[in-house]
Amino acid sequence: MKTQDTIFACASLPSGAAGGAAVALVRLCGAHCMAALQSLLQTQTLPPPRQICVRSLYHPRTGVLLDKAMVVRFVAPHSFSGEDMVELHCHGGAAVLRSLLAALAGLDNMRVAAAGEFTRRAVLAGRLDLTQAEAIADLVAAEGS
């Protein structure tokens, strides 16, 4: 696992999971995330930094429409991890999410993030301290109020 890798993962519970939602959040982080986003948008323009915009997401190789999603991009160092980052707020259905994650996995220079890797990068970049990182881990693992 290299911190310079470009990573992606679903950062929300998928539909059908306990507590799953109608909207899924897919996060991309690293040097190649803007190129990955552009390949999903095809000829559409990238949204301005830190502004959420609705965009159609297409499979980069087949051109098939995957979803219409809200897209926001964060340019380093103005992100959770301090690196370039993209968030895709897409429909939470299993088919949409599976197709989007498979499309990202098929791109060069992309890999699935390990559990806690986004937070780890934020700690390494000095964006969070260990106490804050542990609080995030506790929040993610919490089962009740």
Side-chain angles (χ1 to χ4, degrees), residues 92-128:
V96 170
L97 194 52
R98 188 172 40 250
S99 296
L100 179 56
L101 295 174
L104 289 169
L107 293 173
D108 293 336
N109 303 309
M110 298 289 292
R111 69 170 173 80
V112 175
E117 190 168 2
F118 290 101
T119 302
R120 179 177 179 264
R121 288 180 178 212
V123 169
L124 292 174
R127 307 285 290 175
L128 295 176

Side-chain angles (χ1 to χ4, degrees), residues 1-138:
M1 180 171 23
K2 301 176 194 167
T3 56
Q4 67 266 27
D5 291 346
T6 301
I7 58 174
F8 67 93
C10 180
S12 61
L13 290 174
S15 178
V23 176
L25 171 60
V26 175
R27 189 173 281 160
L28 294 74
C29 177
H32 300 283
C33 70
M34 298 304 171
L37 175 59
Q38 189 62 68
S39 69
L40 291 170
L41 298 180
Q42 296 193 348
T43 60
Q44 300 168 91
T45 59
L46 290 173
R50 303 177 70 85
Q51 290 184 16
I52 197 160
C53 297
V54 175
R55 295 287 192 270
S56 296
L57 304 178
Y58 296 93
H59 192 286
R61 303 218 195 291
T62 67
V64 170
L65 177 66
L66 299 172
D67 196 15
K68 281 199 171 196
M70 294 183 298
V71 177
V72 62
R73 66 186 186 105
F74 302 93
V75 178
H78 306 289
S79 72
F80 174 73
S81 67
E83 301 173 89
D84 284 347
M85 182 176 277
V86 170
E87 289 184 354
L88 306 171
H89 300 253
C90 61
H91 290 94
V96 170
L97 194 52
R98 188 172 40 250
S99 296
L100 179 56
L101 295 174
L104 289 169
L107 293 173
D108 293 336
N109 303 309
M110 298 289 292
R111 69 170 173 80
V112 175
E117 190 168 2
F118 290 101
T119 302
R120 179 177 179 264
R121 288 180 178 212
V123 169
L124 292 174
R127 307 285 290 175
L128 295 176
D129 62 31
L130 287 177
T131 302
Q132 292 168 313
E134 288 175 356
I136 290 171
D138 289 345

